[in-house]
Amino acid sequence: MLRIRNLESGYGRLKVLRKLSLHVKQGEVVTIIGANGAGKTTLLNTLAGLLRIWSGEVLFDGKDLMGIPSEKRVFMGAVLVPEGRQVFRTMSVEENLILGGVPLQKKEGRNALMEELEHVYSLFPILRERKDQFAGTLSGGEQQMLAIGRALMSRPSLIMMDEPSMGLAPLIVKDIFSIIEKLRDEGKTVLLVEQNARAALGIADRGYVLETGRIILQGDAEDLLANRDVQRAYLGKDLDVEV
Amino acid sequence: MSLELLLQYIVAGLTYGIIYAIVAIGFNIIYNTTGIINFAQGEFVMLGGMIAVSFNAFLPLPLAILGAVIITMITGALMDIIFIRWLRSPSVLRMIIITIGLSILIREVALHIWGESVRALPYFTGNEITSLSFGGVRVSPQVLWTVGVCSVMVAGLSLFFRYTMVGRKMRATSDNRNAALLCGISTGNMVTLSFVLSAGIGAVAGCVVSPITYTQYNIGTGLAIKGFTVAILGGLGSSVGAVVGGLILGILESFSIWVLPAAYKDAIAIAILLLILFLKPSGLFGKSDVMALKEF
Ligand SMILES: Nc1ncnc2c1ncn2[C@@H]1O[C@H](COP(=O)(O)OP(=O)(O)OP(=O)(O)O)[C@@H](O)[C@H]1O
Ligand SMILES: [Mg+2]
């Protein structure tokens, strides 16, 4: 579904991603974990087209994404739930969702849009209750749900999420992760970026560890959870004490 | 001062005020989607009136106006496509200089085409001495045309932005451009559309008001200053603010003739602008956080 080879990108003259390669197969949940500043957001923004691909190759459904503008990538089925939620604060919850469905409406018509709206409301009943409220007045957790719901409105084949648990209370984080599990069970393909490595590896099929713009480790989620380096660096286990 | 005279001043103030409001709304539409002030906004009003007068020589009035509005809209689109679209996140200063440059360019072209002569469309109904009487106040039907057409445009725009898909996409673009891109909205086209809309309403206003105020190649500058004052007075980005601000400025100017020499009329806008910038930069209806967020 998604295959990245030797991708490089960054800001201005600052190169952040260095020869990065990874792949995501249909129906998989793949997580990328890494410390602050490792380049996780840079990677997802490059995949979404907000940043330019400097070199390397990004194939989505076999098509090269080089030079394709971000709004076209949404139509192709790759959608990003951006870091920090980025809902349309001055617009109502329902308007946010409808805007997320712009590609779906263009492709399949208004009925499909209304169906998908129902589907998103059934995933997030709280959004239905708040549908006429300005998105800017929602709580952080509700805004995150809205951001995910808005992305789902285009019926994407690949959904990329950038730290959906950021800044949320543990209880809400649990809700968000159970939503991601639900998406997995519906057969959606998910590329999940997280600092909350334990929770992310807990629901993922596979994982990659990103450090200063390079993949330094990859494998099945369980193997990574059991890996001593990962445990020490990202799961907060003090191995010296354990031993 | 008699009540009739008072009302007469108010009517005159409303006529000018609603035009200022339309120019201010034009500023707002472009400001909202791009964060820049388009100082060529007044030129759209001028172009509307001047082109319509030329077309009216061989076309019936409604067609002449339609043609003028369409040509002005195309001018607006070209401004964005040729000069602005390809700039990636330009600085505010650069944008200001570009739009001021464009306003000078359009003015010079207009001077070249039409010369310095003062022109006007014919009155839409009746002529310059026709007037309707409302409880002793004599009002030219053209004033009703102006106030009526501009009010319909204001109401129409607000419905457009609230209820149509394209209107929503434009609001989404102004709310959060990256998020709009991530929803598959072509934000570049929305920006072009905002130039087209601004140009269109400016041109319509330029046509309906020209029988009363006349038009000339250089009226854009004064209108831009007044429209800008009104936009700031009402709070940048707020349509309600633009209408209220426009009417306030129009009525103040109208009454100023009564207490000040007429030559000072145009200084009022500048005085208000400076006062607002000192006392309440966010304007009457502006959210102060908008000012903090946008880099203007
Ligand atoms: N807009 C920008 N301009 C210049 N440099 C940037 C910009 N955004 C990020 N960087 C730099 O790129 C590097 C990677 O940042 P990135 O945001 O991708 O990290 P991240 O892995 O998402 O971190 P976090 O977990 O904090 O979100 C950092 O060194 C950062 O300083
Ligand atoms: Mg990040």
Side-chain angles (χ1 to χ4, degrees), chain A residues 11 14 16 34-43 83 162-163 195:
Chain A
Y11 309 86
L14 173 71
V16 174
N36 290 111
K40 307 183 293 296
T41 300
T42 308
L43 171 62
E83 184 174 63
D162 197 346
E163 299 203 36
Q195 282 198 46

Side-chain angles (χ1 to χ4, degrees), chain A residues 71 74 86 88-90 95, chain B residues 168 171 175-176 179 181-182:
Chain A
E71 68 267 25
V74 185
Q86 312 281 342
F88 301 117
R89 303 177 59 87
T90 59
E95 282 183 315
Chain B
R168 286 188 182 128
R171 272 160 61 215
D175 186 301
N176 188 325
L181 282 173
L182 295 177

Side-chain angles (χ1 to χ4, degrees), chain B:
Chain B
M1 184 195 265
S2 70
L3 184 63
E4 281 80 31
L5 196 57
L6 187 78
L7 289 174
Q8 208 84 56
Y9 276 120
I10 290 179
V11 168
L14 289 182
T15 314
Y16 280 90
I18 196 90
I19 298 296
Y20 300 156
I22 293 292
V23 177
I25 289 175
F27 274 124
N28 284 340
I29 292 174
I30 291 177
Y31 176 78
N32 278 338
T33 49
T34 61
I36 64 181
I37 300 285
N38 168 33
F39 282 99
Q41 191 63 38
E43 269 63 38
F44 293 148
V45 179
M46 180 272 292
L47 282 179
M50 298 296 270
I51 298 174
V53 172
S54 293
F55 279 1
N56 193 220
F58 55 92
L59 285 177
L61 187 61
L63 283 184
I65 292 177
L66 184 66
V69 171
I70 290 174
I71 290 182
T72 311
M73 285 169 127
I74 292 172
T75 310
L78 290 179
M79 258 172 74
D80 175 53
I81 293 168
I82 299 173
F83 295 99
I84 292 170
R85 182 182 269 242
W86 54 273
L87 298 171
R88 278 180 166 249
S89 57
S91 70
V92 171
L93 185 64
R94 189 155 162 214
M95 292 314 315
I96 289 177
I97 291 170
I98 288 179
T99 64
I100 290 179
L102 284 171
S103 82
I104 296 172
L105 179 71
I106 294 176
R107 208 175 314 139
E108 290 304 314
V109 171
L111 177 64
H112 187 74
I113 298 176
W114 290 293
E116 292 188 10
S117 63
V118 176
R119 292 150 193 256
L121 282 174
Y123 278 66
F124 291 11
T125 41
N127 56 39
E128 50 271 38
I129 49 168
T130 322
S131 69
L132 306 165
S133 177
F134 295 94
V137 186
R138 308 203 66 75
V139 179
S140 156
Q142 196 63 33
V143 166
L144 298 185
W145 272 108
T146 305
V147 174
V149 166
C150 291
S151 307
V152 168
M153 282 199 294
V154 173
L157 277 177
S158 105
L159 294 177
F160 167 78
F161 281 119
R162 198 156 310 167
Y163 296 113
T164 68
M165 200 63 171
V166 180
R168 286 188 182 128
K169 287 187 197 173
M170 290 181 74
R171 272 160 61 215
T173 302
S174 57
D175 186 301
N176 188 325
R177 202 152 165 177
N178 275 348
L181 282 173
L182 295 177
C183 287
I185 297 169
S186 160
T187 56
N189 290 348
M190 295 303 125
V191 170
T192 306
L193 194 54
S194 72
F195 274 84
V196 169
L197 262 186
S198 292
I201 61 170
V204 170
C207 290
V208 285
V209 81
S210 86
I212 309 176
T213 61
Y214 304 115
T215 182
Q216 202 182 355
Y217 79 98
N218 62 0
I219 60 162
T221 319
L223 281 172
I225 291 173
K226 288 176 187 178
F228 181 60
T229 304
V230 164
I232 298 282
L233 174 63
L236 261 181
S238 157
S239 305
V240 180
V243 172
V244 174
L247 298 184
I248 290 179
L249 178 61
I251 289 175
L252 276 180
E253 280 190 353
S254 172
F255 278 102
S256 75
I257 305 180
W258 178 40
V259 285
L260 290 170
Y264 286 101
K265 187 177 152 195
D266 288 337
I268 294 190
I270 303 288
I272 292 181
L273 181 59
L274 292 178
L275 268 180
I276 292 288
L277 289 179
F278 276 126
L279 300 179
K280 195 170 187 302
S282 58
L284 297 176
F285 295 84
K287 302 159 210 88
S288 42
D289 64 311
V290 172
M291 294 302 283
L293 284 174
K294 307 260 174 170
E295 50 178 332
F296 186 77

